[in-house]
């Protein structure tokens, strides 16, 4: 199949393109650097022409309220171009529990993206993943100083980006689900515990302080970012760290 991967040069997109090409498909990466602008619409028609599948892995440049407008405009433009080109399957990557954290602007924006796709004219698949292991350093940096890192005890189920890319490529090469496929890492940690494991592995002597008000994940209630019934990926966090 010919598969247009929008956002195909990023962390997940580049791995998805590689997986699909290895499997014998013609996966073509597109991004702003290659002349495709999903907000203005520039280059979109050319990017999706002849494609059997479109995989949209683009992301908002901000995580605030502006992200809602980003996903509204980008999805409207992408769906219009894909419909014109006769695309038969449209895939996006989203987040486990995204519709259960309305306190976060970015999660509301991703939930909006899902709704736009589901209401659109093209058969679709939504892959929801838990939090990426690759982003743990960024999470630690949000509430850190020279001596401590403050983290809430929010339950999370970290997944390796490689496992996410494997799942997205598999779904893209299959029949449209017209629904959601949840994927998650094999282990559940509290975020503060995961911070301690990460710092210990790096030889970082800072202390992790459990703080229910610290950082973005402080507003998350309960275990909504985990899913024991999801398809469990193979990579364990300590193996990934190694």
């Amino acid at each position: 199949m010919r598969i247009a991967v929008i956002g195909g040069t990023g962390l997940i997109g580049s791995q998805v393109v590689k997986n699909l090409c290895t499997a014998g498909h013609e996966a073509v990466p597109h991004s702003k650097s290659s002349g495709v602008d999903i907000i203005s619409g520039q280059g979109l028609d050319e990017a999706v022409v002849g494609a059997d599948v479109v995989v949209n892995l683009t992301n908002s440049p901000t995580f605030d309220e502006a992200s809602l407008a980003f996903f509204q405009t980008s999805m409207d433009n992408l769906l219009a171009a894909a419909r014109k080109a006769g695309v038969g399957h449209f895939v996006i990557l989203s987040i486990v529990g995204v519709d259960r954290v309305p306190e976060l602007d970015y999660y509301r924006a991703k939930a909006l993206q899902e709704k736009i796709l589901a209401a659109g004219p093209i058969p679709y698949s939504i892959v929801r993943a838990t939090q990426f292991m690759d982003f743990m350093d960024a999470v630690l940096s949000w509430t850190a100083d020279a001596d401590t890192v403050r983290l809430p005890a929010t339950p999370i189920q970290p997944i390796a980006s490689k496992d996410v890319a494997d799942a997205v490529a598999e779904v893209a090469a299959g029949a449209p689900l017209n629904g959601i496929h949840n994927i998650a890492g094999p282990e559940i940690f509290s975020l503060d515990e995961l911070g301690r494991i990460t710092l210990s592995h790096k030889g970082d002597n800072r202390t992790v302080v459990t703080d229910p008000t610290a950082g973005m994940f402080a507003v998350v209630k309960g275990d909504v970012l985990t899913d024991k019934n999801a398809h469990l990926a193979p990579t364990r966090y300590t193996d990934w760290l190694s």
Side-chain angles (χ1 to χ4, degrees), residues 9-192:
T9 59
L11 174 66
I12 302 299
S14 58
Q15 297 178 78
V16 169
V17 169
K18 181 180 178 181
N19 288 351
L20 289 169
C21 290
T22 299
H25 302 289
E26 183 186 356
V28 183
H30 300 282
S31 66
K32 201 165 186 178
S33 62
S34 67
V36 176
D37 188 325
I38 56 175
I39 298 301
S40 71
Q42 179 183 354
L44 268 185
D45 288 348
E46 294 81 3
V48 302
V49 68
D52 302 293
V53 183
V54 168
V55 180
N56 177 21
L57 299 172
T58 59
N59 204 2
S60 169
T62 69
F63 295 99
D64 57 16
E65 192 172 354
S67 59
L68 285 109
F70 172 87
F71 284 114
Q72 178 75 62
T73 301
S74 61
M75 286 299 292
D76 286 348
N77 289 341
L78 280 163
L79 285 170
R83 183 180 188 182
K84 189 191 306 182
V87 171
H89 186 190
F90 198 115
V91 182
I92 64 168
L93 175 61
S94 191
I95 308 166
V96 165
V98 72
D99 52 346
R100 301 174 70 186
V101 193
E103 297 86 356
L104 289 176
D105 291 332
Y106 181 72
Y107 278 51
R108 287 192 293 114
K110 289 294 290 184
L112 173 65
Q113 184 189 32
E114 291 187 0
K115 289 177 183 177
I116 294 168
L117 180 61
I122 300 171
Y124 70 93
S125 299
I126 297 168
V127 179
R128 282 186 178 177
T130 50
Q131 309 303 310
F132 293 0
M133 296 175 184
D134 309 64
F135 293 164
M136 193 60 197
D137 283 347
V139 172
L140 290 172
S141 72
W142 293 340
T143 55
D145 57 31
D147 302 310
T148 62
V149 178
R150 294 178 296 109
L151 294 171
T154 307
I156 67 169
Q157 196 168 349
I159 187 170
S161 64
K162 176 187 180 300
D163 295 336
V164 176
D166 289 349
V168 171
E170 183 178 350
V171 167
L177 302 174
N178 290 316
I180 297 167
H181 176 62
N182 284 348
I183 56 173
E187 304 162 294
I188 296 175
F189 303 86
S190 64
L191 186 56
D192 55 345

Side-chain angles (χ1 to χ4, degrees), residues 142-143 150-154 191 209-220:
W142 293 340
T143 55
R150 294 178 296 109
L151 294 171
T154 307
L191 186 56
V209 176
T210 303
D211 182 347
T213 68
M216 184 178 81
F217 293 108
V219 301
V220 177

